[in-house]
Amino acid sequence: MKKIEHICFIVPNYPTKNDPVYTFVRELICSIADSGIKCTVIAPQSITNFIIKRKRKRPYFWEDYNENNYKIDIYQPIHAPFLNFKLKGSNLAGMITQFTVVRTFNKINQSPDTLYAHFWHSGVVAGHIGNNYNLPVFIASGESKIWVEKLYSKKKILRSLESVRGVISVSRKNMLESTSLGLASRDKIKVIPNSVNNKVFYKMNKREARKKLGFAEEDFIVAFTGSFNYRKGVLRLEEALKKNPGVKSLFIGSGELVPQCENILFQGKLPHNQVVTYLNAADIFVLPTLAEGCCNAIIEAMACGLPIISSNLSFNDDILDDQNSIRVDSKNIDELAKSIQYLKDNKDIRDRMAASSLVKAKELDIQNRSRKIVDFLRENL
């Protein structure tokens, strides 16, 4: 296998302590950096973040360090994603993003050995660079729904993807969606589910976690982590909880759809490294989501030893089974409510599911995943 010394990642966003977005991107890059590979990240920052959302503008260039003190170079040029109209078959916002990323790539001092793009729309930009600089390109497909054709014409997509050597798909669902859209052939795709950093998310003593947070020991607590929107199902969970009076809840996240049911013990955003304590204080994790690539929040909950109630759709097939979860129709409020009540009433079943979640989460460790990805890159350079 060929040696890789430097990877340039092209990603939609990158997290900071005060803005924990795309934390899964950083976890992977930090793990790859631990192997001694130099990591450079190009993550365009939207002008709307600091004009409309009032987020702090980040520097164009800054350095991140993982827990083992490996340095990661971060470039964050400004782009304008709100220019949502077509020009010559492509979305103007996509064209501006490509121009911004290419210009930034030209300023990187050390040329990378390969490009690694998160999601197909970033992959088109990476492919354009790969074609011009004769660099191999790899793409990670983890979208809840692949929407690259909304940004670029079919002709541009296919031309840009000529330099793609391989695709990492987070689920069989994403693999099938990618092939059905003609973005890649099956022989170029490897399914490697998302993962968890078991040093950040792990099983704690529930009694101690509840004591730390001020929660009663005897309460039955349901945890939810995700955006407060229709797709994730925050209000569907709220309606299900209304049918289970006395059940307490934790809603970790933010968004436009704010749950207002009784017995909410916590609601709001948390720094990523604090979520583990709240998950450990819960009895079960419920996410009635309608679409995912492969849900990181579910894997994090499993690493904390929680039984899962989530969707019976195919995006969960690679991480959930009847040993660690109850899978439901996420639009069926009664089914959600009954599943919550069932686990509340059956501690033995909860305990068995919790143990199975822990076993599965150990398989889905970030170091195992990064090693598989790097091996795949080396094999296909």
Side-chain angles (χ1 to χ4, degrees):
M1 291 189 291
K2 294 184 179 179
K3 189 174 183 180
I4 298 177
E5 296 182 348
H6 183 192
I7 300 175
C8 179
F9 296 86
I10 298 176
V11 300
N13 212 332
Y14 192 85
T16 64
K17 289 182 179 179
N18 297 322
D19 190 17
V21 294
Y22 285 78
T23 53
F24 64 93
V25 168
R26 183 179 185 273
E27 293 288 355
L28 175 63
I29 294 172
C30 285
S31 183
I32 290 176
D34 277 337
S35 67
I37 295 173
K38 177 177 174 58
C39 295
T40 298
V41 177
I42 302 177
Q45 55 179 317
S46 168
I47 195 171
T48 60
N49 282 342
F50 41 90
I51 292 180
I52 298 175
K53 298 180 181 179
R54 303 297 180 183
K55 291 184 178 182
R56 179 176 295 181
K57 182 180 175 182
R58 301 182 187 180
Y60 172 77
F61 173 80
W62 54 284
E63 295 173 348
D64 189 18
Y65 290 85
N66 69 6
E67 61 183 10
N68 293 317
N69 211 37
Y70 283 97
K71 180 171 70 74
I72 301 164
D73 291 339
I74 313 294
Y75 292 85
Q76 295 213 262
I78 297 170
H79 72 125
F82 53 83
L83 298 174
N84 191 27
F85 55 89
K86 295 276 184 147
L87 182 65
K88 296 182 179 180
S90 292
N91 185 290
L92 184 59
M95 294 170 65
I96 292 174
T97 300
Q98 176 176 299
F99 173 79
T100 301
V101 172
V102 172
R103 185 174 60 179
T104 300
F105 179 83
N106 289 333
K107 295 180 180 180
I108 296 175
N109 292 327
Q110 179 185 343
S111 178
D113 299 306
T114 186
L115 299 169
Y116 188 98
H118 266 280
F119 307 150
W120 281 105
H121 55 284
S122 296
V124 170
V125 179
H128 174 80
I129 296 172
N131 289 340
N132 289 340
Y133 288 84
N134 194 28
L135 287 172
V137 175
F138 295 86
I139 296 174
S141 175
E143 305 94 320
S144 58
K145 182 175 176 58
I146 297 172
W147 53 282
V148 63
E149 291 181 340
K150 291 185 178 181
L151 282 181
Y152 303 105
S153 67
K154 190 71 173 180
K155 181 179 179 181
K156 179 173 178 56
I157 292 170
L158 294 178
R159 185 171 64 248
S160 296
L161 298 182
E162 289 175 356
S163 55
V164 173
R165 300 286 183 87
V167 178
I168 305 294
S169 178
V170 299
S171 63
R172 284 171 286 176
K173 167 258 180 189
N174 273 71
M175 177 192 70
L176 293 172
E177 189 176 0
S178 297
T179 56
S180 67
L181 291 171
L183 299 173
S185 57
R186 175 64 188 88
D187 61 302
K188 282 192 173 184
I189 303 177
K190 185 176 182 64
V191 177
I192 306 177
N194 280 335
S195 58
V196 62
N197 185 339
N198 282 290
K199 295 179 181 178
V200 177
F201 289 89
Y202 52 90
K203 179 66 176 172
M204 299 168 59
N205 182 283
K206 183 181 295 185
R207 181 180 297 176
E208 292 178 3
R210 291 192 176 190
K211 183 178 180 180
K212 180 178 180 179
L213 298 173
F215 301 158
E217 188 175 329
E218 67 275 8
D219 284 341
F220 183 80
I221 301 176
V222 170
F224 169 100
T225 303
S227 298
F228 294 176
N229 58 28
Y230 178 77
R231 175 171 69 89
K232 293 289 187 178
V234 65
L235 296 189
R236 292 190 291 277
L237 176 55
E238 177 191 40
E239 291 301 312
L241 289 171
K242 288 178 180 178
K243 296 177 178 289
N244 287 278
V247 172
K248 306 295 176 68
S249 57
L250 307 171
F251 288 95
I252 304 167
S254 63
E256 296 180 356
L257 305 180
V258 181
Q260 298 178 346
C261 52
E262 295 181 354
N263 298 319
I264 296 178
L265 298 177
F266 176 84
Q267 178 181 289
K269 294 175 67 174
L270 286 170
H272 195 233
N273 61 358
Q274 291 183 20
V275 175
V276 59
T277 306
Y278 285 77
L279 290 176
N280 272 281
D283 292 286
I284 63 173
F285 182 84
V286 182
L287 188 72
T289 179
L290 300 177
E292 299 288 339
C294 175
C295 184
N296 289 279
I298 290 176
I299 301 173
E300 291 169 354
M302 289 162 54
C304 296
L306 292 183
I308 308 297
I309 298 175
S310 190
S311 170
N312 57 14
L313 295 175
S314 61
F315 54 77
N316 275 333
D317 288 351
D318 298 279
I319 57 174
L320 296 181
D321 54 41
D322 57 6
Q323 299 300 307
N324 60 14
S325 66
I326 297 177
R327 298 178 62 182
V328 300
D329 176 352
S330 288
K331 291 184 177 180
N332 190 321
I333 305 300
D334 287 337
E335 194 174 348
L336 272 172
K338 289 177 182 177
S339 298
I340 292 170
Q341 187 65 47
Y342 177 75
L343 289 182
K344 180 177 182 291
D345 293 341
N346 292 276
K347 186 178 184 304
D348 289 347
I349 293 174
R350 287 204 315 271
D351 290 343
R352 287 201 297 272
M353 284 188 172
S356 294
S357 283
L358 287 172
V359 170
K360 186 66 175 179
K362 287 182 179 179
E363 296 175 13
L364 299 171
D365 178 73
I366 185 64
Q367 292 180 336
N368 291 336
R369 184 169 197 263
S370 67
R371 187 162 46 248
K372 290 177 182 178
I373 288 174
V374 171
D375 286 346
F376 179 73
L377 268 56
R378 287 171 175 155
E379 290 167 1
N380 292 279
L381 279 179

